[in-house]
Amino acid sequence: MEFTLEEMRSHLAALETRISNACKIAGRSRESVKLVWVSKFHPAEAVENAISLGATDFGENRVQEAELKFATPRTALDGSRVRCHVIGPVQSNKLKKAAIVADCIHSIASIEAVEKLEKVCAALPKTLDILFQINAGEEETKSGLDVHEAEAFLESLVTRGPSAFPHLRFRGLMTIGKNTGVAEDSRECFAFLRNLQQKFLAKGGVFANFDQLSMGMTGDLEVAIEEGSTMIRVGTALFGERDYSKPVNDPV
Ligand SMILES: *Cc1c(COP(=O)(O)O)cnc(C)c1O
């Protein structure tokens, strides 16, 4: 069952308390952490409710589902345009569709994907924000760049220089914490991500805008905020449990 608007309002209030407390502990401002509402497996009505509660940024795992809910531009309560973040792995043949629907793709993990995105964005034309996903938890089921190869990968982008990717903005790094049920277990990978992001931001050039860290979900957002997250991706705490037996993009 989907949450009612009132249920969502109280879940949002509880989440905001968690976020504010974590910001206080970390000595950070609430404004330094963007809340991305992960609406995957929830219907368009849930997105409407979220917008009426002030949501500006949504995360979707699958391109087709993102298109269903976010192809039509809409306006947030604050007057800004609602933004769609693609946060799941994107197959090569779906990169163009992803580039069209997304304001930001968090899950780029190969040079082939970077090159193809530059091409499709040049043709659209569009300038797209991208983040590189790092498999910092080093779990085999998770996608993303291997931690041992991430630095060499980023270094290879420095070598090419900014003129190689005029339609892409490299905005930062994304990771999924360890899936142990213990938030503290993810601290080390979040800290690893922050160190890598800071190192490349300092290089400037193609990494001049590399100021984002997408990390933290329902179970580990406090630790992520303490370790410097600028974008938390939260689904369950806002929308409730997902019903995986009912994909939103199935024809009805
Ligand atoms: C589903 C998903 C989330 C949201 O997870 P919750 O635990 O429901 O908050 C965040 N990030 C990614 C990449 C996801 O796939």
Side-chain angles (χ1 to χ4, degrees):
M1 278 286 278
E2 291 297 323
F3 284 171
T4 64
L5 178 59
E6 287 319 309
E7 284 171 329
M8 254 166 85
R9 193 190 305 280
S10 72
H11 278 84
L12 174 61
L15 176 66
E16 280 295 344
T17 303
R18 288 179 62 187
I19 298 172
S20 312
N21 286 344
C23 284
K24 239 174 252 154
I25 288 168
R28 301 180 56 189
S29 72
R30 170 65 187 86
E31 293 68 45
S32 67
V33 182
K34 176 173 285 197
L35 175 57
V36 178
W37 298 55
V38 177
S39 47
K40 67 185 186 200
F41 286 92
H42 295 285
E45 301 84 77
V47 169
E48 293 308 327
N49 282 344
I51 291 173
S52 76
L53 294 171
T56 56
D57 292 77
F58 290 89
E60 287 286 346
N61 255 37
R62 296 176 305 169
V63 176
Q64 199 185 347
E65 194 174 338
E67 285 176 322
L68 274 169
K69 294 179 221 169
F70 299 102
T72 311
R74 22 152 80 85
T75 308
L77 274 193
D78 67 2
S80 68
R81 200 174 43 80
V82 167
R83 288 175 291 274
C84 173
H85 301 249
V86 168
I87 61 175
V90 185
Q91 291 169 311
S92 176
N93 61 357
K94 298 225 175 93
L95 279 171
K96 183 176 178 187
K97 288 183 166 179
I100 291 170
V101 74
D103 294 277
C104 181
I105 303 180
H106 292 221
S107 41
I108 299 303
S110 73
I111 190 64
E112 291 77 18
V114 176
E115 285 169 348
K116 179 146 187 196
L117 267 185
E118 169 55 34
K119 264 195 207 124
V120 301
C121 288
L124 284 174
K126 172 174 185 172
T127 305
L128 183 70
D129 284 348
I130 65 172
L131 283 79
F132 301 108
Q133 181 174 357
I134 314 282
N135 187 4
E138 295 193 274
E139 287 176 38
E140 279 176 22
T141 53
K142 281 181 198 146
S143 40
L145 290 156
D146 186 285
V147 279
H148 306 288
E149 291 161 8
E151 186 154 352
F153 174 86
L154 297 172
E155 215 35 91
S156 76
L157 297 173
V158 176
T159 310
R160 297 201 188 201
S163 60
F165 308 106
H167 299 88
L168 301 178
R169 271 189 300 257
F170 302 154
R171 294 306 311 270
L173 299 174
M174 181 271 239
T175 199
I176 298 173
K178 284 190 192 282
N179 187 20
T180 58
V182 180
E184 219 29 70
D185 291 351
S186 296
R187 188 178 294 278
E188 205 179 335
C189 39
F190 293 157
F192 172 84
L193 228 68
R194 185 190 63 236
N195 287 328
L196 195 59
Q197 174 257 332
Q198 294 281 314
K199 180 169 179 175
F200 279 84
L201 175 63
K203 290 178 192 277
V206 73
F207 288 107
N209 302 305
F210 209 62
D211 55 1
Q212 299 295 311
L213 281 169
S214 169
M215 50 194 205
M217 318 191 339
T218 292
D220 56 15
L221 61 95
E222 286 91 349
V223 174
I225 289 171
E226 285 169 36
E227 295 302 330
S229 175
T230 62
M231 284 193 266
I232 53 173
R233 310 176 307 268
V234 181
T236 309
L238 288 164
F239 293 104
E241 296 290 335
R242 290 175 285 275
D243 183 352
Y244 290 107
S245 70
K246 292 206 194 89
V248 169
N249 57 347
D250 261 12
V252 277

